[in-house]
Amino acid sequence: MNRTRTLMLILPLALMAACSNPSTPAPAGPGGDDLAPAPTAAADAKAVEKLDVQRLQGNHWLLDSATDAGGKRVDALFARGDKPVTLDFKDGRLSVGNTCNRMGGGYTLADGTLTVSPMASTMMACTDKALMALDQAVGSRLEGALKAELAGQGQLTLHNAAGDVLVFNPEPTAETRYGAEGETVFIEVAAQTKPCSHPMIPNMQCLQTREVSFDDKGLKQGTPGAFENFYGTIEGYTHEDGVRNVVRVKRYKIANPPADGSSLAYVLDMVVESEKK
């Protein structure tokens, strides 16, 4: 009886020693080849970080909710009810939109921590006091080390050291939607629209547009051609009758356009000139 008990104790110890022996070969794969070594913890962390960065860069992030350490809504962050604060991540830079001024700074992402450097901003003054205060409210909550999580319906949740919790909804960027980087072009939009023929839309009014070129100093180059009917739309652009604009847009190719639609998509980047006629 004692001998049997001794053998039962020795067998597990022998198996443990064999498993811990560095010289023990790895088990063979289905084809007889050795299995590839398991990735290291550092490699796993790097893969997760890369995936998170791609996810961040592939979306605009629209502020959905914000609460302080006591669970109270941070009203100062919702000064523009129709245009939520938006974050964009690209090439190590964070840009903040729909504030009084354009704001941005560098960022890094590692081990679930988003670290944002002190942000710079333009110095435009806004007449709305709540809008002026929005810049400070955003900057003070986004700078420094933030715990970053993706949860729910792909929402980005940021926790700062003060206990504030900011939740952002994802909205795919144009690059994500169209599968490639867009071409930057400048388009002049005439002050008045004109009637244009469209088989599906009676009494259609078309923007009158033409491409313009600028040199690296921002000076116009060459002579633009005649205005032509623009049958599509410029995403993000709202035309005001009687106002001439020059806009910078990103132009994307549509892989499988509808039979009666354009093969190109236009997304507003910024208005560079505006003149009331």
Side-chain angles (χ1 to χ4, degrees):
M1 187 69 178
N2 290 338
R3 183 179 179 184
T4 302
R5 184 176 300 172
T6 302
L7 288 173
M8 292 175 66
L9 291 172
I10 291 174
L11 183 58
L13 291 173
L15 290 174
M16 290 174 63
C19 291
S20 63
N21 188 345
S23 64
T24 302
D33 296 332
D34 289 346
L35 293 176
T40 64
D44 283 343
K46 184 176 181 181
V48 171
E49 180 183 340
K50 183 178 181 181
L51 176 63
D52 285 349
V53 169
Q54 290 175 341
R55 185 72 169 273
L56 288 178
Q57 293 189 158
N59 292 281
H60 306 294
W61 299 96
L62 284 61
L63 184 63
D64 179 63
S65 66
T67 54
D68 61 19
K72 183 180 178 182
R73 184 176 187 264
V74 183
D75 292 331
L77 292 174
F78 297 92
R80 306 184 74 167
D82 59 330
K83 294 182 178 180
V85 171
T86 303
L87 309 183
D88 285 286
F89 299 85
K90 188 171 184 180
D91 300 330
R93 297 285 299 176
L94 164 63
S95 299
V96 184
N98 292 335
T99 45
C100 174
N101 287 277
R102 295 176 69 91
M103 305 171 63
Y107 82 91
T108 59
L109 181 66
D111 300 326
T113 298
L114 176 70
T115 304
V116 181
S117 63
M119 286 189 285
S121 72
T122 57
M123 300 300 291
M124 181 178 69
C126 295
T127 55
D128 187 336
K129 292 183 178 180
L131 197 54
M132 282 292 292
L134 177 59
D135 290 6
Q136 172 62 26
V138 170
S140 63
R141 287 172 172 83
L142 286 181
E143 292 179 354
L146 309 165
K147 180 182 177 183
E149 301 174 327
L150 286 174
Q153 300 298 314
Q155 291 177 310
L156 172 65
T157 302
L158 301 179
H159 305 255
N160 63 20
D164 298 314
V165 180
L166 280 60
V167 180
F168 297 83
N169 289 328
E171 181 181 277
T173 64
E175 286 79 7
T176 298
R177 287 186 283 122
Y178 297 112
E181 289 287 332
E183 175 190 12
T184 298
V185 294
F186 293 87
I187 296 176
E188 182 177 2
V189 184
Q192 306 294 337
T193 60
K194 289 186 178 180
C196 53
S197 175
H198 192 286
M200 304 296 292
I201 306 175
N203 304 318
M204 181 173 176
Q205 293 283 322
C206 283
L207 296 176
Q208 301 299 297
T209 66
R210 59 185 179 184
E211 287 193 29
V212 293
S213 299
F214 293 86
D215 62 18
D216 55 3
K217 296 180 180 179
L219 300 175
K220 283 185 179 179
Q221 289 184 314
T223 302
F227 283 102
E228 298 179 349
N229 290 333
F230 186 83
Y231 288 94
T233 59
I234 300 174
E235 183 181 324
Y237 175 75
T238 301
H239 184 69
E240 183 181 349
D241 192 44
V243 178
R244 181 191 68 85
N245 290 302
V246 175
V247 295
R248 186 174 73 192
V249 303
K250 287 289 189 73
R251 182 165 60 194
Y252 301 88
K253 291 183 179 180
I254 301 175
N256 298 297
D260 60 345
S262 173
S263 62
L264 297 173
Y266 296 81
V267 180
L268 178 68
D269 187 12
M270 65 180 298
V271 177
V272 297
E273 284 184 19
S274 189
E275 177 188 16
K276 193 165 185 177
K277 303 293 281 188

